[in-house]
Amino acid sequence: MPLLAAGALRSPFKRPSAGADFPRTRLVLPGLRVDLARLAAYERVCGFPTGEDALPVTYPHVLGFPLAMSLMSGPDFPLPLLGLVHTSIEITRYRELAATGTYELSVRVDGLAPHRRGTEAAVVTELRVGEDVVWESVSTYLARHRTEAAGQGRESGREPEPEAHEPLPGVDEWRLAGDIGRRYAAASGDRNPIHLYPLTARLFGFRRAIAHGMWTAARCLAAHGTPQAVLVRAEFRAPVLLPGTVTYAANGERFELCGADRVHVSGGVYPLT
């Protein structure tokens, strides 16, 4: 919360641009041990099995979130923290990760890129055992602002045209309670007010609280399952309002989380060979 408050206070003074300088700092947390009680709470709210000596594929993102917030709320990060949207994540897990292991965690900003709706920042998180990277992710965060590319079509920005395919078959329907955001916040530490209560979400233009993007991805992956060595991609395409009802759909490697008239999350699970 202090990092969020600091980032919020600095946000009005930021002037986002793809050509802006960004922090080259690599924040490192050595000797990391997982809090097993907090891990169990995360597993319960996301639908992963509990009690196993293995980290869910998305959990290192949670471990790295405080370091990412430190970078993105700092005075040298050029994008305003308020309104920053998590647009995608790509995760590579090279082997199963023991919940009782000891790790080194690092986070860095990899760069900025133009987007037809503003500027995107790429944030890289790595988990190491000794010298070996055992898990890594690249998250993209979008700061929306007026650009020269606005109104010129998708060719002018970084955002790709969504891959066209037939709708995936529905597998399950999930009724989401209004407190999902608060429960995930307690387990993950991500207490962005847009996820907590209708009143705090309205301050940022949402009719109701919205689910965390990383909760929607984790819930889908808990349902889909992942091999030990895996590449996971997820794109957050539309917010999920809470409470609400969504459909989990999947076919082979691909999965989606859909509402009545839109796809909220799309992604894939690809075994490493």
Side-chain angles (χ1 to χ4, degrees):
M1 290 300 291
L3 291 174
L4 183 61
L9 290 173
R10 293 185 177 115
S11 289
F13 305 100
K14 301 291 181 76
R15 295 295 179 264
S17 165
D21 195 15
F22 59 90
R24 264 65 175 182
T25 308
R26 178 174 174 262
L27 299 182
V28 180
L29 181 62
L32 174 66
R33 300 293 301 271
V34 173
D35 182 329
L36 298 181
R38 191 167 179 176
L39 170 62
Y42 175 88
E43 290 169 333
R44 285 192 293 270
V45 73
C46 296
F48 291 105
T50 58
E52 298 181 356
D53 187 23
L55 296 180
V57 67
T58 49
Y59 197 66
H61 172 86
V62 170
L63 298 175
F65 184 71
L67 297 186
M69 282 290 293
S70 293
L71 289 173
M72 292 190 292
S73 63
D76 54 349
F77 185 71
L79 307 185
L81 189 64
L82 285 184
L84 205 61
V85 178
H86 194 183
T87 51
S88 72
I89 188 168
E90 179 176 292
I91 295 171
T92 306
R93 182 174 65 186
Y94 296 98
R95 70 185 202 199
E96 187 173 89
L97 307 176
T100 51
T102 301
Y103 302 96
E104 178 189 277
L105 181 76
S106 67
V107 177
R108 59 185 169 85
V109 178
D110 195 44
L112 305 178
H115 186 285
R116 71 186 183 91
R117 294 178 179 170
T119 300
E120 273 188 338
V123 177
V124 174
T125 303
E126 294 178 332
L127 203 65
R128 283 181 165 84
V129 174
E131 296 297 319
D132 297 331
V133 176
V134 294
W135 183 100
E136 60 185 338
S137 74
V138 180
S139 282
T140 57
Y141 296 90
L142 173 65
R144 292 179 174 148
H145 59 86
R146 293 181 63 86
T147 68
E148 293 180 2
Q152 297 179 16
R154 290 181 179 268
E155 304 81 24
S156 302
R158 175 173 166 171
E159 185 181 12
E161 188 76 36
E163 180 182 352
H165 59 72
E166 292 297 319
L168 301 182
V171 176
D172 200 2
E173 186 175 85
W174 298 336
R175 298 175 67 114
L176 309 183
D179 67 346
I180 284 289
R182 297 190 292 277
R183 290 172 55 204
Y184 183 82
S188 69
D190 183 353
R191 300 182 184 276
N192 188 321
I194 64 175
H195 305 302
L196 303 181
Y197 299 97
L199 180 60
T200 56
R202 287 191 199 107
L203 296 175
F204 299 92
F206 295 99
R207 291 184 289 113
R208 304 197 299 272
I210 65 171
H212 294 73
M214 283 305 299
W215 177 84
T216 62
R219 184 67 185 89
C220 288
L221 292 168
H224 191 284
T226 56
Q228 292 184 12
V230 65
L231 170 66
V232 170
R233 294 190 179 102
E235 179 186 353
F236 308 116
R237 297 171 58 178
V240 175
L241 296 176
L242 299 173
T245 301
V246 292
T247 298
Y248 167 68
N251 184 22
E253 297 171 329
R254 300 203 325 268
F255 65 85
E256 290 179 341
L257 193 65
C258 306
D261 58 352
R262 65 177 61 186
V263 175
H264 297 288
V265 183
S266 62
V269 175
Y270 310 100
L272 298 181
T273 56

